[in-house]
Amino acid sequence: MPPPLFTQLEGRFPIFAHEHVAVIYRERAAAFRQASFLAEGLKRGDLCHYLAPQTFHAEMLKGLRAFQLESSPLVQSQTLRVHAGLSDFGALRNYTQQVFANAERAGVPAVRWLEEGSWPQSVKFPAQQFFEFHAVLNYQVKHYPSVALCQYSLDQIEPGRLFSAIATHRHLLIGETLVRDNPFYIPAERFIPLNPSERHRDLMSAFREVGFDVEKLLVAIAAYGRLHPESSQDA
């Protein structure tokens, strides 16, 4: 049995429980499109977590007000948690585990995790441990009714880091295309022990075929998604 439908992201993209999705976007305004994802959860009583650089917080809270939601009481009750990240991997792992433990203890219907992929730079989190952290997040999402959306801006991310983001998320939202079963996905538990050349081998081959053009690579991955719209729904 496939997991239940969790939400229709932006009213169009079916996202199922226990999915961990990379949202690849361009231009800062698009970073706040998923305010609707959090707003829907807050109205349903979900525990909602927003992990992003401090400079993003006010604009996301403003986006929630467009859905007739005042953030202050939600933050005070910890139904909405807004966080800038931590510099220490162990502390962040423990914090993340506590978010899900608190949700289970409170019996909330679900957890919604929205993450802006540039937060590590703002708190000097070790880059080499970023995707190890995502292994922790993968585990948590699979063991509690939840969805994690991790956003990456093409205006800021370098190709090597973009490749890591693509490789560690089974599901991708690229523009107007949801790639349900990313052909370059490597589970984070397998990704971490690999050396950089092994991690990016297949992506580099595809990148070379499109003339080392990031836009063309993403178009090719999106085209794959459109050709395989009924891929497995397993998280």
Side-chain angles (χ1 to χ4, degrees):
M1 290 287 291
L5 181 69
F6 190 93
T7 187
Q8 289 278 353
L9 201 62
E10 300 179 28
R12 294 175 291 163
F13 304 108
I15 303 296
F16 294 82
H18 310 296
E19 290 190 337
H20 186 188
V21 184
V23 180
I24 299 170
Y25 71 91
R26 187 179 291 285
E27 299 183 356
R28 182 179 167 93
F32 307 101
R33 284 171 54 180
Q34 303 310 331
S36 58
F37 171 72
L38 295 179
E40 179 186 60
L42 291 167
K43 290 180 178 180
R44 292 181 178 181
D46 296 345
L47 189 156
C48 295
H49 192 281
Y50 182 52
L51 174 59
Q54 190 75 37
T55 53
F56 283 68
H57 294 179
E59 201 161 348
M60 180 57 77
L61 297 179
K62 179 181 177 182
L64 292 177
R65 286 197 292 275
F67 294 91
Q68 291 74 52
L69 287 167
E70 285 301 325
S71 59
S72 295
L74 294 167
V75 170
Q76 289 173 1
S77 68
Q78 295 196 315
T79 303
L80 172 63
R81 303 186 179 194
V82 181
H83 206 282
L86 295 164
S87 61
D88 178 73
F89 171 75
L92 183 64
R93 178 193 59 206
N94 293 339
Y95 172 80
T96 303
Q97 291 171 339
Q98 194 61 48
V99 168
F100 284 84
N102 289 346
E104 186 171 5
R105 191 177 303 115
V108 300
V111 173
R112 293 181 183 230
W113 183 283
L114 178 60
E115 178 180 331
E116 187 60 42
S118 60
W119 70 263
Q121 296 94 302
S122 65
V123 296
K124 297 181 170 53
F125 184 82
Q128 68 272 20
Q129 290 186 306
F130 181 64
F131 292 101
E132 186 173 344
F133 164 65
H134 278 258
V136 174
L137 187 55
N138 266 335
Y139 175 83
Q140 297 294 345
V141 167
K142 288 177 181 176
H143 287 81
Y144 197 83
S146 53
V147 160
L149 303 182
C150 302
Q151 303 192 130
Y152 299 92
S153 169
L154 288 173
D155 300 318
Q156 297 181 12
I157 197 167
E158 61 180 19
R161 194 166 177 82
L162 176 63
F163 289 176
S164 293
I166 291 171
T168 52
H169 292 82
R170 183 170 181 179
H171 313 294
L172 309 173
L173 181 58
I174 303 174
E176 300 301 309
T177 301
L178 177 62
V179 181
R180 175 63 64 196
D181 210 356
N182 166 22
F184 298 109
Y185 172 64
I186 304 170
E189 296 86 345
R190 282 179 43 213
F191 178 92
I192 292 164
L194 298 175
N195 65 49
S197 63
E198 290 174 322
R199 291 174 176 180
H200 299 153
R201 182 186 57 211
D202 292 343
L203 271 165
M204 277 303 302
S205 177
F207 196 37
R208 190 176 298 109
E209 289 180 9
V210 296
F212 298 97
D213 186 317
V214 167
E215 295 289 350
K216 288 182 178 178
L217 175 65
L218 294 176
V219 166
I221 296 173
Y224 173 90
R226 288 190 292 272
L227 285 171
H228 302 82
E230 302 302 328
S231 298
S232 170
Q233 306 299 337
D234 294 341

